[in-house]
Amino acid sequence: MVSFESDYNNGMHPDILRRLIDTNDEQTTGYGFDPYCEQAKEKIRSACQMGTAEIYFLIGGTQTNTTMIDALLAPGEGVIAATSAHINVHEAGAVEAFGHKVLALPSSDSKLTAQQVIDYMERFLADPSHEHEVQPGMIYITLPTELGLNYSQTELGALYDAARRYHLALYVDGARLGYGLAAEGTDMTMPYLAHHCDAFYIGGTKVGAMFGEAVVFSQQRAPRGFFTTIKRHGALLAKGRMLGLQFDTLFTDDLYSRISHHAITMAMRMKALFRKYGVELAIDSPTNLQFVVLTPEQQQRLMKQVTFEEWEQRADGKVVCRFVTSWSTTDDDLAQLERALANL
């Protein structure tokens, strides 16, 4: 059965597998102090057009988010995010487990706006008892968002301006960053992102790697003791070269961008199939996440032929479902989806 359940249900891109095999007998220093990590860092700095960026490799998305938020915040500080933000919904309270509250703001489309941050901070500062409250210390956004939407350069620039105005760090979760940068109609680029946030991470787990994320400190230096903080959060890989080698491969010959564009091409073809067979789109996403509205009967019939994720039960009894393409989606996968849709 073909699966559109997630973008991390395949092992890894074949180029990475080949390099892991080719270098398997090599012996290198651990914990990221090896030639492959250094090569990957230089290639990422080049992609960001920022030779001074500090880069670290961590093992997974949740570990990266909790590590970064804990490192960038002081005790008693919280992180501003949209209510739909991954850290607020699908990370099992990991941020709170390390002593920091998620200060969630409502969002109808999963994006956080600069004006929301400004309004929140003005209300917070106007409260004469605000020193008794959790202090906002940073802003968290995902790019693309949990609903597959992108931030424009204008939107990100405005958020960064708001962050600096109130002395907040702006941190960007880039678990699916490759797919966001490859999306149709976007003006976002890696260099613009790097120059308009304090730190972000480049997702590998969902974009071709077996596992791993690359943290980039772009507009500030890594906090004191950051390496120790990584280990404290269980995000440090002893065989660090496995991470460096993967990102070295992804950032060689534009592989990261090429496989991301492939996923977007597949997603747009998928969207065209939904429209062809009269399936309602819940949101018009330009990225690899596609959301559709199905009746429970349609959902059950489709699930016998393809795998996907139930996202939300609507008040009218219908179901919002998520279909995801990736670097590994094939023509045959879409052909099977079309056969299933034709029989709805």
Side-chain angles (χ1 to χ4, degrees):
M1 183 182 293
V2 64
S3 176
F4 297 103
E5 186 177 16
S6 72
D7 38 21
Y8 48 90
N9 53 8
N10 282 68
M12 72 198 85
H13 192 276
D15 287 2
I16 292 176
L17 180 58
R18 280 189 287 270
R19 287 201 72 192
L20 288 170
I21 293 172
D22 291 344
T23 62
N24 189 57
D25 292 332
E26 293 184 21
Q27 295 178 331
T28 57
T29 301
Y31 302 107
F33 300 104
D34 63 86
Y36 295 110
C37 286
E38 291 307 312
Q39 289 171 193
K41 289 177 184 179
E42 285 304 315
K43 290 174 181 177
I44 291 172
R45 290 185 184 109
S46 178
C48 294
Q49 296 180 12
M50 183 170 287
T52 59
E54 294 186 49
I55 298 164
Y56 296 81
F57 299 109
L58 282 69
I59 61 173
T62 298
Q63 296 94 327
T64 299
N65 284 333
T66 58
T67 299
M68 289 296 290
I69 291 169
D70 196 24
L72 291 171
L73 292 180
E77 288 186 331
V79 51
I80 299 171
T83 51
S84 57
H86 201 63
I87 59 170
N88 190 49
V89 180
H90 286 137
E91 291 194 342
V95 173
E96 289 87 348
F98 283 89
H100 302 288
K101 185 175 182 178
V102 178
L103 305 168
L105 303 184
S107 173
S108 60
D109 65 357
S110 72
K111 290 202 286 189
L112 196 65
T113 69
Q115 192 59 53
Q116 279 184 289
V117 172
I118 292 169
D119 291 344
Y120 177 83
M121 290 303 301
E122 290 299 316
R123 288 195 302 270
F124 174 81
L125 294 172
D127 184 344
S129 64
H130 70 264
E131 291 183 348
H132 294 267
E133 302 174 22
V134 173
Q135 304 296 299
M138 68 184 292
I139 302 168
Y140 165 99
I141 63 171
T142 51
L143 200 165
T145 72
E146 292 74 14
L147 293 184
L149 299 182
N150 258 339
Y151 286 88
S152 67
Q153 289 188 2
T154 298
E155 290 170 327
L156 182 64
L159 274 169
Y160 188 46
D161 288 342
R164 288 184 294 179
R165 175 176 172 179
Y166 295 102
H167 307 289
L168 307 172
L170 176 57
Y171 165 63
V172 180
D173 178 334
R176 295 186 169 93
L177 181 60
Y179 303 132
L181 297 179
E184 294 185 351
T186 186
D187 64 354
M188 188 59 64
T189 64
M190 189 87 76
Y192 188 90
L193 171 62
H195 285 83
H196 292 83
C197 69
D198 293 286
F200 67 99
Y201 82 83
I202 302 169
T205 301
K206 296 174 181 175
V207 194
M210 177 188 285
F211 53 81
E213 329 297 334
V215 165
V216 181
F217 287 96
S218 51
Q219 294 300 304
Q220 69 168 71
R221 296 186 62 83
R224 180 182 176 184
F226 185 65
F227 181 88
T228 306
T229 303
I230 296 173
K231 185 154 190 172
R232 181 170 176 264
H233 282 262
L236 183 66
L237 186 66
K239 296 182 181 180
R241 84 137 185 262
M242 300 300 176
L243 291 168
L245 190 144
Q246 291 186 82
F247 279 94
D248 185 46
T249 305
L250 287 171
F251 280 83
T252 297
D253 297 329
D254 208 28
L255 179 62
Y256 192 74
S257 178
R258 287 189 286 112
I259 64 177
S260 296
H261 277 90
H262 169 79
I264 297 303
T265 298
M266 294 289 120
M268 295 306 101
R269 287 175 55 186
M270 173 187 282
K271 182 186 292 187
L273 289 177
F274 288 136
R275 286 172 169 158
K276 176 180 177 180
Y277 291 98
V279 177
E280 179 187 352
L281 296 174
I283 189 168
D284 190 10
S285 164
T287 64
N288 70 316
L289 306 179
Q290 297 297 313
F291 296 85
V292 300
V293 180
L294 302 172
T295 65
E297 293 76 19
Q298 289 174 324
Q299 179 189 12
Q300 292 303 313
R301 291 175 66 180
L302 267 183
M303 290 182 71
K304 293 178 181 178
Q305 300 175 71
V306 297
T307 304
F308 53 93
E309 183 176 0
E310 180 180 311
W311 190 258
E312 179 186 9
Q313 292 277 348
R314 295 205 324 189
D316 62 3
K318 293 183 178 180
V319 186
V320 176
C321 297
R322 188 185 76 168
F323 290 71
V324 185
T325 62
S326 76
W327 59 273
S328 60
T329 304
T330 66
D331 292 337
D332 288 343
D333 293 337
L334 292 183
Q336 187 165 334
L337 174 61
E338 180 165 20
R339 288 192 294 270
L341 292 173
N343 292 324
L344 272 185

